Amino acid sequence: MEYFLQQTINGVTLGAVYALIAIGYTMVYGIIGMINFAHGEIYMIGAFIAVISFSVLGLAGVTWVPLALVIVLIVSMTITGLYGWTVERVAYRPLRGSVRLAPLISAIGMSIFLQNYVQIAQGAKIKPLQPMIRGGVRLMEGEGFSVNVSYLQLIIIAMTIALMAGFTWLIAATSLGRAQRATEQDRVMASLLGVNTDRTISLTFVLGAMLAAVAGVLVTLYYGVVDFYIGFLAGLKAFTAAVLGGIGSLPGAMLGGLLIGLIESYWSAYFSSEYKDVAAFSILVIVLIFRPTGLLGRPEVEKV
Amino acid sequence: MLSLRGIHTYYGAVHALKGVDLEVAEGEIVALIGANGAGKSTLLMTICGNPKPRRGSIELRGQNLIGVPTHNLVRQGLAHAPEGRRIFPRMTVLENLRMGAVASDPAHFDDDLERAFTLFPRLKERRDQRGGTLSGGEQQMLAIARALMSRPRLLLLDEPSLGLAPLVVRQIFEIIKEINQRDGVTVLLVEQNAFHALKLAHRGYVLVNGTITMSGKGADLLNDEQIRAAYLEGGH
């Protein structure tokens, strides 16, 4: 029981990170109907900026952890958001109105480009980060096994919940959120009513990139290492989470992320950690067989 | 108010509008009638810059419209309730109306909403219902109300009577008349329902295969032998 609880805590932490990345996939899919395969790399860039800015802050003598964390989050979100904006502007917008496959291929190209760019600029070696947030809370004392939740895990979970709540509110109740939903549902009509749809789409990429940046910062703190290749698997997992939850659906991305995190954690704990990825992807296949639109997705209705 | 000269529009290789001239004066209701596929909706969309005309000029109150991005037109006093109504299906009635007011001053949103609900009391009852669940008539009301939320000077209406029961059609046409007379909105109305449209309009144009073949006062067109034969008898 204690062991199970511990794995749940670990799984939720992991799932929170996947969910943050998955939102970027699902929102972009919702608004322009394409899978942004470069999104995993955007997350990776967010993580690199975290490592770089933590080092710079260390040199500058900012050692108080909460302050450093806030600064790094702001820096990483800003710069990563800029990357997200640029990727859309350079690789996708010129292809708007062409065949559906074109931006998809462009996205794969962008993903390879960003990986190589970071590899060249930062080197292929793994970049370590000193653990900064230590300690935790002992929740339960079992026979020979205790349940711990680290402060870092609490921070990750709390921050994710806060961001998701804020984001849900943004989409549901602000004029930007309405413009996004209107653009998603009928782009031509939105523009007739005065919505600058190109700008709305750009902002969607920026918001998605910012959430991925937060995920990047948190993962860097959690695992303590980054390299230029981490975007590939994390991106694939988050994409899986988005599809599992129902691509295009915001609550779906959150649920999907959580489920993937939990599945991975339980599988590694009870079976073998080598096959945790297989487990996550198998669940995806099984769900898609029975619910092709994902858990919370709505069925594709042919528009008249 | 609106002036089109020598407009040529293409859809790919299809030459949809072949040199259209059209004038709408301030305060008028102008009907544009014609058969399916004549290019009526294309004409309205061309005014909105989507698609852009290949040749010709479009002026709204003396201002050139060609090259103005579609999303800026509403700020120039142009609103369009397009073909197929294009209600946002997964937004509530109220949210749809908010979208209509995207470009206008939030200070008069409440007044405009009140006015929309006075014109269409039905929408007030349905205000928290999703657009996609409304009936055809209610969707049409919402499309017109949404267009009015921007306080337009010129309203483009594309087939407001399509697929509606005769009683609802009459209601909608009454409201168009009221919008024109009370709010002083100029209306360019596209219709297949030529009888109702010409009865309502001050003037009318007939579009055949991308060309204006006839124009004149609504009442005159209504009595014209050719028009009676082509658009009114049997069709109505």
Side-chain angles (χ1 to χ4, degrees):
Chain A
M1 182 60 206
E2 286 82 9
Y3 189 59
F4 177 79
L5 197 60
Q6 182 68 63
Q7 296 317 316
T8 307
I9 292 168
N10 298 346
V12 169
T13 310
L14 199 58
V17 172
Y18 288 148
L20 284 176
I21 310 174
I23 289 175
Y25 280 107
T26 221
M27 278 202 317
V28 164
Y29 182 84
I31 205 158
I32 54 173
M34 73 162 277
I35 304 297
N36 178 11
F37 281 115
H39 191 57
E41 271 58 51
I42 292 289
Y43 150 82
M44 176 268 290
I45 285 174
F48 261 94
I49 293 168
V51 171
I52 295 168
S53 21
F54 272 125
S55 323
V56 171
L57 284 176
L59 289 175
V62 181
T63 47
W64 192 48
V65 173
L67 178 67
L69 184 58
V70 169
I71 294 176
V72 168
L73 277 170
I74 291 171
V75 170
S76 179
M77 284 170 86
T78 310
I79 299 178
T80 311
L82 209 61
Y83 271 95
W85 183 84
T86 311
V87 166
E88 192 271 336
R89 195 73 189 77
V90 170
Y92 308 148
R93 192 184 295 183
L95 296 170
R96 205 161 292 154
S98 70
V99 290
R100 250 175 110 90
L101 203 58
L104 219 61
I105 293 168
S106 184
I108 294 170
M110 204 66 207
S111 155
I112 296 171
F113 168 78
L114 288 173
Q115 262 182 35
N116 283 279
Y117 154 71
V118 172
Q119 186 184 3
I120 292 167
Q122 295 291 326
K125 270 197 296 192
I126 290 177
K127 298 251 177 306
L129 185 76
Q130 291 298 317
M132 300 174 62
I133 303 168
R134 295 162 198 272
V137 190
R138 181 156 295 184
L139 290 180
M140 240 194 241
E141 195 78 60
E143 287 156 35
F145 192 86
S146 60
V147 181
N148 293 304
V149 50
S150 72
Y151 291 134
L152 187 55
Q153 285 178 321
L154 285 176
I155 290 175
I156 292 175
I157 294 167
M159 198 177 273
T160 304
I161 290 172
L163 276 173
M164 301 222 166
F167 209 73
T168 306
W169 173 80
L170 180 102
I171 297 294
T174 67
S175 60
L176 172 63
R178 265 195 305 277
Q180 278 182 316
R181 282 181 291 142
T183 305
E184 174 187 332
Q185 290 173 34
D186 190 336
R187 199 186 305 165
V188 172
M189 191 63 228
S191 70
L192 286 173
L193 293 172
V195 175
N196 185 342
T197 51
D198 276 339
R199 205 188 58 186
T200 306
I201 291 168
S202 285
L203 282 172
T204 305
F205 275 85
V206 170
L207 288 171
M210 285 176 143
L211 291 180
V214 175
V217 173
L218 297 175
V219 164
T220 306
L221 287 168
Y222 196 49
Y223 289 130
V225 287
V226 294
D227 66 58
F228 71 97
Y229 204 61
I230 57 167
F232 177 72
L233 199 58
L236 206 57
K237 291 277 181 56
F239 170 58
T240 306
V243 174
L244 181 64
I247 190 123
S249 153
L250 200 56
M254 302 176 189
L255 178 68
L258 195 63
L259 286 177
I260 296 284
L262 286 171
I263 291 164
E264 266 194 49
S265 173
Y266 292 145
W267 193 276
S268 328
Y270 292 106
F271 301 101
S272 85
S273 66
E274 281 94 65
Y275 284 102
K276 67 180 168 111
D277 298 341
V278 176
F281 295 130
S282 306
I283 298 282
L284 173 74
V285 171
I286 293 164
V287 169
L288 287 186
I289 288 171
F290 295 105
R291 277 194 68 94
T293 54
L295 294 170
L296 301 181
R298 91 193 113 71
E300 188 87 14
V301 183
E302 203 55 46
K303 277 185 196 161
V304 187
Chain B
M1 174 68 89
L2 179 74
S3 155
L4 275 65
R5 301 231 177 285
I7 288 295
H8 287 263
T9 299
Y10 292 76
Y11 272 121
V14 179
H15 196 171
L17 298 177
K18 303 162 184 161
V20 171
D21 295 307
L22 187 141
E23 293 283 339
V24 181
E26 177 114 42
E28 267 188 321
I29 299 180
V30 172
L32 179 66
I33 61 172
N36 241 339
K40 305 185 300 291
S41 299
T42 305
L43 183 62
L44 293 194
M45 286 308 284
T46 301
I47 295 170
C48 296
N50 182 8
K52 288 189 178 70
R54 202 172 286 182
R55 266 187 289 150
S57 73
I58 305 175
E59 284 183 358
L60 181 67
R61 289 189 287 150
Q63 302 267 314
N64 167 44
L65 285 194
I66 290 177
V68 176
T70 304
H71 63 262
N72 283 339
L73 290 171
V74 69
R75 291 168 183 86
Q76 307 217 9
L78 180 70
H80 188 181
E83 188 180 23
R85 296 152 197 158
R86 305 189 85 145
I87 298 304
F88 299 114
R90 295 182 299 284
M91 289 178 132
T92 64
V93 167
L94 185 62
E95 283 179 317
N96 269 280
L97 292 172
R98 276 191 190 284
M99 288 312 298
V102 154
S104 34
D105 185 353
H108 52 68
F109 177 78
D110 288 341
D111 293 344
D112 294 348
L113 189 67
E114 199 49 50
R115 173 74 182 134
F117 285 158
T118 313
L119 280 172
F120 304 102
R122 198 53 171 279
L123 295 181
K124 192 169 189 173
E125 295 165 29
R126 301 263 188 264
R127 60 182 276 164
D128 296 318
Q129 202 172 315
R130 284 172 157 219
T133 65
L134 299 178
S135 73
E138 288 164 349
Q139 287 197 354
Q140 188 57 59
M141 293 175 192
L142 180 54
I144 297 174
R146 182 177 63 182
L148 289 174
M149 289 303 286
S150 66
R151 296 195 170 182
R153 304 282 295 268
L154 173 63
L155 175 63
L156 310 180
L157 280 178
D158 200 337
E159 302 260 17
S161 76
L162 191 71
L164 303 185
L167 193 68
V168 185
V169 173
R170 208 166 312 150
Q171 223 181 331
I172 297 261
F173 276 78
E174 271 311 307
I175 284 168
I176 296 172
K177 197 171 175 180
E178 193 186 331
I179 293 166
N180 176 253
Q181 289 177 352
R182 268 201 50 187
D183 303 283
V185 178
T186 308
V187 178
L188 175 56
L189 173 70
V190 155
E191 262 300 339
Q192 277 197 66
N193 191 334
F195 177 72
H196 273 288
L198 291 175
K199 241 172 65 173
L200 177 73
H202 302 104
R203 291 189 305 115
Y205 288 87
V206 181
L207 191 66
V208 178
N209 269 327
T211 319
I212 301 282
T213 56
M214 225 186 276
S215 66
K217 284 204 171 114
D220 294 347
L221 289 176
L222 208 50
N223 293 321
D224 187 279
E225 280 307 313
Q226 269 177 288
I227 291 189
R228 293 193 82 89
Y231 301 106
L232 297 177
E233 266 132 38
H236 163 57

